Amino acid sequence: MADIAHELRTPLAGIQGTVEAIQDGVFPWTAESLDSIHQQAIFLNRLVEDLRTLANAEAGQLALALAPLDLAELACRTVTAFQPQATVQQVDLSLTGAENLPLTNADPQRLGQVLTNLLDNALRHTPAGGQIRVTLSAEQTGIHIAIIDSGEGIAPVDLPHIFDRFYCADGSRNRQTGGSGLGLAIARQLVEAQGGKIWAESPPVGRSQGSAFIIFLPVYGGGSRGE
């Protein structure tokens, strides 16, 4: 409750301060002053929705539409959606290993939410000229999907806590960048609710820099695409 109160306080203080400044005549009643209030309200709505999702997931009350899923197709759609942003940021974003994979049993909307969060985080922390690799691989019991970036990485002291709610591993992941500190906590709950696992490595195996977020999902009935 203290964490939630802390997170709500900042946007509410911004809204209150702007409204009082307008009432006192310090700020004019303009589209720009209203935009500040609007942005804070958007953040509050996002935070409340994230809190609701996390609470439902932790209570085992999150509705999931589980079905046989082609993870390669979902990964391809998600990566394609982020290509324009990656191009603007001059980041090389690619997908590999998306052929002849078995199906998994998952909710495409919820799993897509997880992949979107992980790719968004990777782009936030990968500088111009860097790389993000989304890799897919299969083993007998399941499929791995990894989002590997060449960014600054995660400090060893932070690594065990990055899936904790409201935990911000660095100063750049703050309210100005839109982070609520709940994205990775929600990602963990959503993946585990679908029978999978998620973890982070920094630096990734075989690399000297960057981070990797890896999801493991069990194979659905041992079948492959098209079966």
Side-chain angles (χ1 to χ4, degrees):
M1 292 299 292
D3 288 340
I4 294 171
H6 174 76
E7 295 301 314
L8 293 173
R9 184 182 298 116
T10 299
L12 286 172
I15 291 172
Q16 180 179 346
T18 303
V19 170
E20 290 177 350
I22 292 172
Q23 289 175 328
D24 294 340
V26 177
F27 289 164
W29 184 260
T30 63
E32 288 74 17
S33 59
L34 287 177
D35 184 64
S36 173
I37 298 173
H38 184 235
Q39 292 302 317
Q40 295 289 352
I42 289 173
F43 174 78
L44 277 173
N45 277 323
R46 186 184 304 125
L47 178 57
V48 169
E49 180 60 25
D50 285 349
L51 286 167
R52 187 185 68 85
T53 300
L54 185 59
N56 287 339
E58 290 183 343
Q61 297 177 351
L62 190 66
L64 294 173
L66 298 176
L69 175 67
D70 183 348
L71 183 56
E73 182 180 342
L74 177 63
C76 184
R77 289 202 310 266
T78 308
V79 169
T80 299
F82 275 92
Q83 283 292 358
Q85 182 180 345
T87 299
V88 169
Q89 295 183 209
Q90 301 178 43
V91 172
D92 181 14
L93 172 61
S94 65
L95 172 67
T96 59
E99 297 181 358
N100 301 317
L101 293 175
L103 299 175
T104 187
N105 192 39
D107 182 326
Q109 181 177 352
R110 291 300 188 180
L111 192 56
Q113 180 181 349
V114 173
L115 297 181
T116 295
N117 177 270
L118 296 178
L119 274 173
D120 183 63
N121 282 346
L123 280 169
R124 290 175 191 269
H125 296 281
T126 303
Q131 299 177 340
I132 299 174
R133 298 285 179 258
V134 180
T135 66
L136 290 157
S137 60
E139 58 183 48
Q140 185 174 1
T141 58
I143 308 169
H144 289 92
I145 178 167
I147 293 87
I148 307 167
D149 67 64
S150 61
E152 73 274 14
I154 304 167
V157 68
D158 294 320
L159 197 57
H161 305 289
I162 58 171
F163 292 100
D164 295 348
R165 68 188 74 177
F166 297 123
Y167 191 84
C168 292
D170 61 84
S172 65
R173 203 182 115 197
N174 56 23
R175 303 308 160 257
Q176 281 65 48
T177 61
S180 69
L182 290 173
L184 291 178
I186 291 172
R188 179 176 64 181
Q189 290 293 331
L190 291 179
V191 170
E192 292 179 352
Q194 298 176 76
K197 297 183 293 183
I198 183 171
W199 66 95
E201 298 173 357
S202 186
V205 174
R207 300 194 178 204
S208 60
Q209 183 180 334
S211 303
F213 286 84
I214 304 160
I215 299 170
F216 174 83
L217 292 167
V219 167
Y220 174 76
S224 61
R225 289 189 293 181
E227 294 185 355

